[in-house]
Amino acid sequence: MKFALRSSCGPSTFTNAMTPIQAAVIDAALSIIDSPEGGERRARLLSNVALLRDRLAAEDFLVLGQPSAIVPVILGNASVSRLMTRYAAEEGGIVNLVEYPAVARNACRWRMQVMADHAENHIDSMVEIAVSARKRALAHEEALAAFDDAWAYGLPEPALS
């Protein structure tokens, strides 16, 4: 029996048992999920998800998928997406950038996460940050393209504003 366990349980070799604290946390979380509070929190979450998706779409962002706590927002090419992520972070936004090879080339996206505890002003603020980050990133790209054109055609370098 020992031999059979040792030779056929390779995937379990480096696993560990759950600690009592982890078990208690899971038990408490399941209690909340099954309670009226859990129902209220799920309803607030779905409301927040719909609000974020609607407000992003109103600002011409392409939002994918079915409503859930994860909101994927298509950004496009890698350079603009990286700049948008940088500018969003500078303005206090927290976003996760997903890029190639996790997604197709030029299909970079933000993986935004919504919580029941977000307030409407948090969502409005994030949408404002996203709009501003996109505007700044596109302006940055335009300035870089102007420099590329000047270099390629031997023109004077454009002034940056």
Side-chain angles (χ1 to χ4, degrees):
M1 183 68 163
K2 274 186 185 178
F3 177 76
L5 286 174
R6 284 187 186 153
S7 63
S8 62
C9 292
S12 299
T13 302
F14 296 105
T15 61
N16 293 310
M18 187 181 309
T19 67
I21 291 173
Q22 290 169 316
V25 168
I26 291 168
D27 186 49
L30 290 173
S31 295
I32 292 171
I33 289 169
D34 287 338
S35 72
E37 177 190 357
E40 292 167 14
R41 294 183 66 76
R42 283 189 296 282
R44 279 198 320 267
L45 173 62
L46 288 176
S47 175
N48 286 343
V49 166
L51 186 63
L52 179 62
R53 292 174 67 89
D54 291 347
R55 298 236 168 117
L56 286 168
E59 294 293 342
D60 294 323
F61 284 96
L62 178 57
V63 182
L64 297 180
Q66 297 298 316
S68 75
I70 306 300
V71 179
V73 181
I74 296 293
L75 304 178
N77 77 53
S79 70
V80 170
S81 299
R82 289 175 183 171
L83 287 168
M84 284 181 66
T85 302
R86 170 184 162 190
Y87 293 138
E90 285 178 5
E91 295 180 31
I94 300 173
V95 293
N96 296 309
L97 177 62
V98 182
E99 53 188 323
Y100 179 83
V103 295
R105 289 188 195 280
N106 296 319
C108 295
R109 63 198 65 185
W110 278 342
R111 184 180 188 269
M112 302 176 83
Q113 297 169 311
V114 186
M115 298 186 329
D117 294 332
H118 284 132
E120 186 172 347
N121 66 312
H122 296 138
I123 292 168
D124 289 341
S125 178
M126 188 60 231
V127 172
E128 289 171 14
I129 288 169
V131 169
S132 173
R134 178 176 57 195
K135 182 178 179 182
R136 291 175 66 190
L138 292 174
H140 192 139
E141 279 283 300
E142 189 176 305
L144 290 176
F147 273 101
D148 286 347
D149 290 345
W151 180 82
Y153 298 110
L155 303 171
E157 289 184 359
L160 291 176
S161 51

